[in-house]
């Protein structure tokens, strides 16, 4: 007998092959010996279905938890980006104002025939300080964006 038919793997085929040697009553007895009662089979199938439904419910719960966590991370990212954009806008405005003040001071001093060169150094220092603050704000915004996209690694602040 082939190995795949050994041990009742295909009991019905074995029964058919040996049915010439058996009577009708012996065939029915052999079939009953190899089959489960209907109720036991139904319970086994219902248990398998319940197990699959539990696994599906667990997977759905895990997916919902991941989606909730992702939505929270997205909200944090949007808030961070909005703050970074706001800082960039303030920095750009401050930078433009400082540049204009510096240019106006240079023009006024250059156009004044009686001017004393260097008399407006405090204004120039303030304009330079505003430009440094604007650069620092842009650097902080850039670092926030890099942290969001690449993790918590330290980045070189002199790249701006």
């Amino acid at each position: 007998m082939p190995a795949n038919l050994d041990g009742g793997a295909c009991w019905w085929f074995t029964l058919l092959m040996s049915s010439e040697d058996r009577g009708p009553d012996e065939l029915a007895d052999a079939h009953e010996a190899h089959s489960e009662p209907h109720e036991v089979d139904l319970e086994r199938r219902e248990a398998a279905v319940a197990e699959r439904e539990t696994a599906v419910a667990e997977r759905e719960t895990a997916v919902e938890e991941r989606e909730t966590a992702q939505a929270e991370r997205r909200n944090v990212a949007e808030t961070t980006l909005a703050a970074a954009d706001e800082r960039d806008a303030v920095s750009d405005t401050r930078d433009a104002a400082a540049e204009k003040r510096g240019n106006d001071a240079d023009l006024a001093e250059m156009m004044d025939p009686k001017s004393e060169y260097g008399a407006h150094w405090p204004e120039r220092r303030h304009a330079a300080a505003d430009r440094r603050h604007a650069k620092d704000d842009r650097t902080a915004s850039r670092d926030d964006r890099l942290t969001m996209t690449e993790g918590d690694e330290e980045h070189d602040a002199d790249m701006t």
Side-chain angles (χ1 to χ4, degrees), residues 57-73:
E58 289 173 357
R59 284 192 301 267
E60 287 175 351
T61 301
V63 167
E64 288 173 3
E65 289 171 356
R66 283 193 303 267
E67 287 174 350
T68 301
Q70 183 180 16
E72 289 173 6
R73 287 191 305 271

Side-chain angles (χ1 to χ4, degrees), residues 5-6 13 25 31 33 42 44 68 84 91-92 119 123 130 138 141-142 149 154 156:
L5 296 179
D6 235 0
F13 186 70
D25 292 335
H31 176 68
L42 183 61
R44 182 182 53 80
T68 301
S91 296
D92 291 343
E123 291 87 1
D130 284 346
R138 280 193 295 279
S141 296
R142 186 186 120 270
T149 58
E154 288 293 322
D156 187 14

Side-chain angles (χ1 to χ4, degrees), residues 103-121:
N103 288 341
D104 289 347
D106 283 342
L107 183 61
E109 190 171 2
M110 188 171 65
M111 298 303 282
D112 186 11
K114 299 177 187 165
S115 73
E116 295 179 21
Y117 184 73
H120 300 288
W121 287 117

